[in-house]
Amino acid sequence: MVLHYIYKKQPYIFEVRWTDTEGSSTIFRGIVSYLEKIHGPVFSAYQGQAQRLDLAVDQLYSQIYRFGEEYQAIPYDPKHRKRFLAAYGEICSLSEMRENGEEASALTELFAQVLDKLQEIVGVYLLDNAYQGKHRYRRKHFEEWLETTAEGSMSCEFESVLIQMTDLSRLLDQLTATQRERQVKHIFLNYTLQEIAEQEGASRQSVSESIAAALKKLRTLL
């Protein structure tokens, strides 16, 4: 990952690895080690904090891997979302600087860039997690419905569902990528306008107008 910062009014840029050869996080220790090498041992006092941060990132990775295995092998657990957010929250807490000065300012700037990337991972996970949770809930109830539905009527119902799904897909294809993504989040995943705005770094007003415009377009196609 390429990072940039300002130290003693001079700009710097360098590249650091996310993990070592075994897949463990080394990015925060890599940042501090680089600063020690370039600017001297004044940064060595932050090695302990960097190590704790890397361990916290490993915990976040483990939650991601656990979800992957959970999706494939064991029943869906809605509490996993809370565990995942707790792991991310621990990283944010540990990254805070309790000192002032140029060294702390440079580290805050660098750590924030790493946190931005981790936030993207969290956003992708939460979207996927929400989708999978709803999918499994609907799948369970669909299977229960199959068990109690006569075979003759099931064929007709299934065909009707397929037609509706195909029509919906064609309608969504008429929207822009941004409009389509926001519609799916808001209508199918039940995200609020504020949640979508925070995820995308946009204003609530722009998200609201985008969704309203998309709905208006869909109405003209029906």
Side-chain angles (χ1 to χ4, degrees):
M1 179 179 181
V2 177
L3 299 173
H4 52 84
Y5 66 102
I6 295 176
Y7 182 62
K8 294 185 176 180
K9 299 182 180 180
Q10 294 294 320
Y12 295 88
I13 186 169
F14 68 103
E15 187 172 357
V16 64
R17 293 176 59 87
W18 274 95
T19 61
D20 58 20
T21 55
E22 296 180 353
S24 297
S25 174
T26 58
I27 190 165
F28 288 103
R29 281 171 290 173
I31 289 172
V32 174
S33 295
Y34 171 83
L35 294 177
E36 281 185 283
K37 179 180 178 181
I38 300 300
H39 305 295
V42 64
F43 284 96
S44 61
Y46 297 96
Q47 276 291 0
Q49 182 182 10
Q51 184 174 6
R52 291 190 293 272
L53 276 164
D54 280 325
L55 290 174
V57 172
D58 285 336
Q59 289 297 315
L60 181 67
Y61 290 163
S62 70
Q63 293 296 334
I64 296 173
Y65 299 147
R66 179 175 179 178
F67 172 72
E69 294 171 359
E70 178 181 271
Y71 172 61
Q72 296 293 333
I74 63 179
Y76 173 73
D77 181 4
K79 293 181 181 178
H80 187 74
R81 176 189 176 99
K82 293 182 179 179
R83 292 194 295 268
F84 184 85
L85 287 174
Y88 175 67
E90 179 71 10
I91 298 171
C92 294
S93 176
L94 289 172
S95 68
E96 295 177 358
M97 291 293 162
R98 293 174 175 79
E99 303 87 0
N100 296 317
E102 292 180 307
E103 290 77 24
S105 177
L107 280 167
T108 297
E109 185 177 0
L110 290 166
F111 286 1
Q113 293 171 58
V114 177
L115 288 175
D116 285 344
K117 292 299 180 184
L118 290 174
Q119 188 177 37
E120 290 179 16
I121 295 174
V122 169
V124 169
Y125 166 81
L126 292 180
L127 181 59
D128 188 41
N129 183 269
Y131 170 77
Q132 298 296 352
K134 292 178 183 294
H135 169 76
R136 293 180 189 205
Y137 174 83
R138 291 167 180 165
R139 180 66 186 176
K140 175 183 176 183
H141 285 269
F142 177 67
E143 290 174 349
E144 292 175 352
W145 172 78
L146 286 180
E147 293 176 357
T148 58
T149 303
E151 184 175 352
S153 62
M154 181 182 70
S155 176
C156 179
E157 292 289 339
F158 184 68
E159 182 179 353
S160 175
V161 170
L162 276 180
I163 292 172
Q164 292 178 42
M165 289 176 64
T166 301
D167 290 343
L168 177 60
S169 177
R170 289 173 179 170
L171 286 172
L172 291 176
D173 283 341
Q174 305 303 311
L175 304 177
T176 67
T178 299
Q179 288 178 327
R180 185 163 55 248
E181 182 178 353
R182 287 173 175 174
Q183 290 292 345
V184 169
K185 287 180 180 179
H186 186 54
I187 297 176
F188 299 103
L189 299 180
N190 293 325
Y191 280 87
T192 66
L193 298 179
Q194 186 61 40
E195 287 174 333
I196 297 173
E198 290 174 356
Q199 287 178 9
E200 299 180 358
S203 68
R204 184 184 183 281
Q205 181 66 25
S206 66
V207 172
S208 176
E209 291 175 355
S210 173
I211 289 177
L215 287 173
K216 182 178 180 180
K217 184 175 182 179
L218 289 174
R219 289 191 188 100
T220 64
L221 297 172
L222 292 175

